[in-house]
Amino acid sequence: MCFTMPRRSTSAKPTRTTTIRRRLTSINPELGTTLKRAIALPALAAFITPTAVQFQNGKTQVYLSGAIQEYLRKQYNALRRGEPALSRDAFASFLEVEQGEDTPLLTEEKYKFGRFLETWWLQFGLEAEKPVPMEKKDLSKPISNYFISSSHNTYLTGNQLASRSTAEAYRRVLRRGCRCIEIDVWNGDSQNSTPEQIREASTKPGSRFGHSRHLSGGSLHTAAAHIKGAVEEKFEKTRQRLGVEKIHSHSPRCSKSELSPPLFGREFGAALNQSYLAGQLDIERSSRPSLPPDEPIVMHGFTFTAPVGFREVCKAIREVAFETSQLPIIVSLEVHADQDQQEVMVQIMKEEWAGLLIEKPHDTCPNGQMPRLEELLNKILVKVKKASPFFEPAATMATLSPNTTIDDDASGSEDDRVSLPNGAKKPKVPICENLSALAIYTHSEHFTNFDSPAAKIPSHIFSINENTLLELMDSKHHELFSHNRHFFMRAYPKGLRIDSSNMDPSRLWRKGVQMVALNWQSWDEGMMLNEAMFSGEHGWVLKPPGYLSDGTLEPRHHTLDLVIQVLAGQNIPLPEGLDHRKSRSLRPVVKCELHVEKAEDRLVHFIEGGGRVRECDYKQKTGIGKTDHPDFSGVKHNLEFLGVQRVIEQLSFVR
C-alpha cells in the first residue's frame, strides 16, 4: 500500500504526526507487517508489485506498479524543485525531517530518479519497521517505569478449553519480543500412579475428610482427566449427530503444517463450537505427552487442555530467553502445586536457569528499592506470592461448600481461586519459603484497595482482571493512575474469553498498567496494538512524561490533526477461494481506525458535555478501488482525523 500523511494547512499549531506512537498496524496478518516507521509528509510505504524496475547494480529487481511509480516520480519532482537532479542536501533533509530516519549516509552530490528510487527504496523503504537500537534505549529508570510486553496462559496453543500446552509456545512468544510470561503449575503424577488406580479411586466413596493426591486440588490434570472421561461419550454422540469426521492429527498422512500452530494462533472470529471442541479432544487424546514422574506440570486447570512438564518449559525458556533481547524476563507463576512440588519447582528453576535467575537483591539495590532496568540485563525475575506465616492448612475438596458462587473472572491470576466442577472454590495454596524467597523485586499481592499496607511495598504487583480494572477506571481513576506511577500492576483477560480473544490493551496502558497480559494464541485487535506498541522495542517501552515515578509532571496532551492520503496499492491478497485469474474483479477498501483515549475513558472533569464520542470520529475508510493493484486517485482517498483533543502521542495508534 502506498500512502502519505500531509500536514493540514491551519493557523493552529498541529501536533507532530511523526511521533504518533510511530506505528501503523496492518490489519491483514498475511502481510505480517507492523508499520513502525515515523511516517509524515509525504511519507510513503509500499509492498512489492508487477512492474520490474532494474536497479544500477543489475542484480536487484524491485517490482512497482505503474500507479505507485507515478506517485514516486511526483514526489521526486517536488523535491528537486525544477533542478535537473535532486541534490544530496535536499534528499538528506527529506529522509531526516519527513521520513524520521537517522542521519543518512549519502555518497553522491546529485541523484537522478533511478538512483533516488534505488537509494530510498532499498535502504529506507522496504523495512516496514524501524527497530530501536539497544544503545539508544533509556534503561536508567526503575523497572516499574516501563510498559512490558506480556502474555497470558503462555503455554496454550489455542483456546482456553481444549488446546495443548507446549514448551514451544514459550519459545515462540519470547522470540517475538514478549518479556513477561505466565506458567500455571500443578502437581505431577507420582511414580506409582496408574490410570487404572486413578479411575478406581474416582469410583470409590471417600471419607468426608479423606485426601487423595490424585483427586486433590493440587493434581488438576488428574481431576481434568476424570471430568474428560465423564463427558467424552457425550462429545462422541454429539460428533455423530453433527456428522463431524473424527480427526487423527498425528497420522502419517498429516502434513507438518497441520501439526504446527500458526504464527499468531487462531485468527479471532473462527467459530468455537461443539464440533471444533470435539476435534480438539481427539487431537489431545491421540497425543498425550509422557511426563516425568514426581515433577510439576504446566496446564490450564479444570479444562481439557493437555499438560506439559515444568522442567521442559524451563528448558525452553533458557534456550531462547535472550536470543533476541538482553532485557529481563518476568516469569509470572500461578502456583497450584503443593509445597513438596514447590520445592521441586525451586530446584528445577535453579538448575535450568543457573546464572540467569535473580536469587538475591542486586548489590547496588537493596530489597526495599526497585532496580534500574540496566541492572537486570540477561536476568530472569520470578513473580510469585510471598509465604504467609499465618496461613492455615487448606480444607480438602470434600469439605468445600457446593453452594459457593462461581466467579467467571477467576481465571488467569494466582490472586483468584479456581472454581471446582461442583461450584466450590479451590482453597488457596500456601507458598513455601524457598519459592517465596525468589520473589525479590516482583511479588504478587491480592488487591483489596489502594490504601492497604501491601499497596506501599515497592516490589508488589497487583494482578487484576479486565472487568475489575474497567470498574476501577470509573470509580478510582485518580488512585489507579497514582498507584501505577510508582508500582507495578498486571491486567489479564476475563475468564469468559475462552476463545483466547483479547481486550484493548491501549486503554489500560493509558492508565499506567505496565503488564497487560494478552492471549498470544489469537491475532486480533488487541494483539495488533500490542505488536505496534512493542515491535522493535525489545519488549520494554519507557512510559511517557507524566507517567514516571520520578516527577510530578502531568501527562502531556495535544490536539491532533491527522490526514492520511491513500494513493495506491499492489499485490493485495485475494480472498480465500478466489482464483488469481479473477483478481480484476477485486474491489479493495482501506479502513483506518485511530486508537486514542476516548472521552468516556477520561477523567470526568475532562469530558466536554459529558457525552460519548461517536464511533465514526475514530474510523474512516477510502472509496472502493479496483483490482489487486488499485489506484485510489479517482475515489475518496483522504482519511481525516481532525481536532482530536487530549491525545497522548506515545500511547496513540493508527490501525
Side-chain angles (χ1 to χ4, degrees):
M1 192 63 62
C2 186
F3 55 89
T4 178
M5 290 183 180
R7 287 190 177 88
R8 179 167 170 253
S9 177
T10 176
S11 56
K13 184 178 179 180
T15 186
R16 287 171 55 235
T17 57
T18 56
T19 57
I20 178 168
R21 197 53 203 141
R22 305 194 333 274
R23 286 141 167 98
L24 293 172
T25 306
S26 166
I27 61 174
N28 190 334
E30 293 183 17
L31 298 177
T33 346
T34 298
L35 301 185
K36 185 182 171 185
R37 186 172 300 279
I39 303 176
L41 169 69
L44 302 167
F47 301 101
I48 303 215
T49 61
T51 304
V53 177
Q54 189 78 34
F55 283 147
Q56 195 175 48
N57 59 17
K59 299 178 181 179
T60 306
Q61 283 189 334
V62 173
Y63 294 86
L64 302 175
S65 70
I68 288 180
Q69 288 190 56
E70 180 182 351
Y71 285 115
L72 297 183
R73 184 173 287 277
K74 287 179 180 178
Q75 178 61 55
Y76 173 77
N77 291 338
L79 290 173
R80 66 187 178 91
R81 297 183 177 180
E83 296 294 326
L86 178 63
S87 69
R88 179 166 58 185
D89 289 344
F91 194 7
S93 176
F94 167 72
L95 292 173
E96 288 185 67
V97 177
E98 308 298 351
Q99 296 296 288
E101 301 289 353
D102 296 330
T103 304
L105 179 62
L106 300 177
T107 58
E108 300 180 20
E109 290 294 329
K110 300 289 183 180
Y111 285 82
K112 296 287 188 180
F113 177 66
R115 185 63 174 148
F116 160 80
L117 194 61
E118 177 180 357
T119 303
W120 183 20
W121 214 251
L122 292 186
Q123 294 185 31
F124 306 103
L126 291 179
E127 291 297 330
E129 65 180 11
K130 186 181 180 183
V132 179
M134 182 67 75
E135 59 272 14
K136 292 192 176 183
K137 286 185 69 71
D138 183 355
L139 310 181
S140 64
K141 300 293 190 295
I143 56 175
S144 58
N145 284 257
Y146 296 82
F147 296 112
I148 307 169
S149 183
S150 306
S151 166
H152 170 251
N153 287 355
T154 312
Y155 46 88
L156 293 179
T157 58
N159 70 76
Q160 305 290 306
L161 288 181
S163 62
R164 301 184 202 174
S165 305
T166 70
E168 183 59 32
Y170 289 89
R171 296 187 183 94
R172 183 181 302 120
V173 301
L174 288 171
R175 284 172 172 149
R176 289 171 52 199
C178 183
R179 305 317 277 174
C180 179
I181 54 180
E182 184 178 21
I183 308 179
D184 290 12
V185 190
W186 304 85
N187 284 349
D189 280 331
S190 65
Q191 195 166 9
N192 304 337
S193 351
T194 66
E196 290 72 21
Q197 290 171 332
I198 295 170
R199 199 173 298 113
E200 289 173 8
S202 68
T203 59
K204 292 179 180 179
S207 164
R208 174 178 173 81
F209 299 101
H211 179 78
S212 167
R213 176 172 177 183
H214 299 296
L215 294 180
S216 71
S219 191
L220 263 294
H221 65 295
T222 303
H226 286 294
I227 301 170
K228 182 184 296 186
V231 301
E232 277 182 350
E233 184 178 352
K234 292 185 179 180
F235 271 111
E236 183 63 31
K237 291 179 179 178
T238 301
R239 185 208 321 283
Q240 294 174 0
R241 187 173 67 252
L242 295 174
V244 177
E245 184 181 353
K246 225 173 185 180
I247 299 174
H248 301 282
S249 66
H250 282 251
S251 68
R253 292 175 294 178
C254 287
S255 67
K256 182 178 179 181
S257 61
E258 290 174 322
L259 299 178
S260 303
L263 180 61
F264 294 107
R266 185 186 63 84
E267 187 172 354
F268 181 65
L272 187 62
N273 52 32
Q274 285 181 307
S275 59
Y276 175 80
L277 290 177
Q280 290 294 306
L281 284 176
D282 271 342
I283 294 173
E284 190 277 326
R285 281 202 302 269
S286 65
S287 59
R288 287 174 183 163
S290 175
L291 300 171
D294 300 318
E295 287 192 358
I297 61 170
V298 176
M299 67 168 293
H300 198 195
F302 288 117
T303 66
F304 303 114
T305 57
V308 62
F310 180 71
R311 184 182 293 274
E312 184 181 352
V313 167
C314 291
K315 285 179 179 290
I317 293 170
R318 172 67 184 246
E319 287 174 13
V320 302
F322 304 104
E323 186 178 288
T324 60
S325 174
Q326 294 178 282
L327 298 186
I329 293 172
I330 297 175
V331 176
S332 179
L333 293 178
E334 184 176 333
V335 181
H336 305 277
D338 60 32
Q339 292 198 343
D340 289 341
Q341 291 275 279
Q342 290 176 31
E343 296 288 353
V344 178
M345 288 172 57
V346 173
Q347 179 183 352
I348 290 173
M349 287 188 286
K350 289 184 175 182
E351 289 175 358
E352 300 300 338
W353 299 341
L356 304 178
L357 181 64
I358 295 286
E359 300 185 47
K360 62 180 182 179
H362 196 277
D363 293 339
T364 62
C365 186
N367 211 0
Q369 299 177 14
M370 294 300 278
R372 299 187 304 274
L373 187 55
E374 61 193 359
E375 295 174 319
L376 298 177
L377 299 183
N378 298 306
K379 293 297 181 182
I380 296 176
L381 294 83
V382 169
K383 170 186 169 290
V384 71
K385 283 189 174 181
K386 288 288 189 180
S388 172
F390 307 109
F391 193 90
E392 297 181 1
T396 63
M397 290 173 63
T399 65
L400 296 175
S401 168
N403 299 320
T404 306
T405 303
I406 297 177
D407 179 5
D408 65 290
D409 287 325
S411 173
S413 171
E414 67 286 335
D415 294 332
D416 290 309
R417 287 179 288 165
V418 176
S419 298
L420 300 178
N422 65 354
K425 288 288 185 180
K426 177 186 174 297
K428 292 182 179 179
V429 177
I431 302 299
C432 72
E433 290 289 344
N434 286 331
L435 180 56
S436 171
L438 294 180
I440 307 296
Y441 299 119
T442 48
H443 83 269
S444 302
E445 285 285 354
H446 177 69
F447 174 74
T448 54
N449 59 69
F450 293 114
D451 296 321
S452 67
K456 311 304 177 186
I457 302 173
S459 63
H460 84 272
I461 300 177
F462 287 142
S463 285
I464 307 177
N465 69 63
E466 62 174 296
N467 282 352
T468 303
L469 269 172
L470 293 177
E471 292 174 5
L472 289 172
M473 286 169 58
D474 288 336
S475 61
K476 300 288 183 182
H477 41 261
H478 289 292
E479 295 92 333
L480 176 65
F481 186 81
S482 177
H483 171 276
N484 295 342
R485 262 184 160 182
H486 303 278
F487 308 108
F488 271 130
M489 182 173 285
R490 173 180 174 268
Y492 61 91
K494 61 184 178 182
L496 289 179
R497 292 188 182 273
I498 60 174
D499 58 353
S500 294
S501 59
N502 288 298
M503 54 196 149
D504 178 351
S506 66
R507 298 183 67 186
L508 304 180
W509 292 328
R510 294 186 197 102
K511 303 307 175 187
V513 179
Q514 294 90 341
M515 294 172 253
V516 183
L518 299 180
N519 291 310
W520 289 50
Q521 303 87 355
S522 295
W523 179 242
D524 56 9
E525 176 183 287
M527 273 306 299
M528 292 178 196
L529 293 172
N530 194 77
E531 191 82 0
M533 177 70 155
F534 294 104
S535 181
E537 291 279 2
H538 307 276
W540 292 70
V541 171
L542 182 65
K543 289 184 174 184
Y547 283 73
L548 303 175
S549 62
D550 59 357
T552 57
L553 295 175
E554 291 299 316
R556 298 174 184 172
H557 296 87
H558 301 275
T559 297
L560 173 69
D561 289 325
L562 175 65
V563 179
I564 302 174
Q565 187 179 46
V566 182
L567 304 177
Q570 55 186 24
N571 277 2
I572 305 297
L574 301 179
E576 186 176 355
L578 183 64
D579 192 298
H580 70 279
R581 291 171 295 185
K582 297 183 179 180
S583 61
R584 296 185 64 83
S585 64
L586 188 66
R587 296 296 180 263
V589 171
V590 178
K591 295 182 179 180
C592 182
E593 182 174 2
L594 183 65
H595 289 264
V596 296
E597 187 171 41
K598 296 179 173 61
E600 56 266 28
D601 289 342
R602 300 173 193 159
L603 303 187
V604 175
H605 61 277
F606 286 140
I607 302 179
E608 298 181 3
R612 296 175 62 89
V613 174
R614 294 176 302 157
E615 186 179 66
C616 61
D617 290 341
Y618 297 113
K619 293 184 178 181
Q620 298 287 331
K621 64 180 179 180
T622 66
I624 300 174
K626 296 180 180 180
T627 80
D628 59 341
H629 296 61
D631 181 350
F632 290 96
S633 60
V635 297
K636 175 190 173 183
H637 55 275
N638 282 352
L639 308 177
E640 300 182 348
F641 303 93
L642 307 178
V644 183
Q645 297 184 1
R646 298 191 58 79
V647 170
I648 299 176
E649 294 179 351
Q650 298 91 331
L651 299 176
S652 300
F653 305 86
V654 175
R655 186 173 68 95

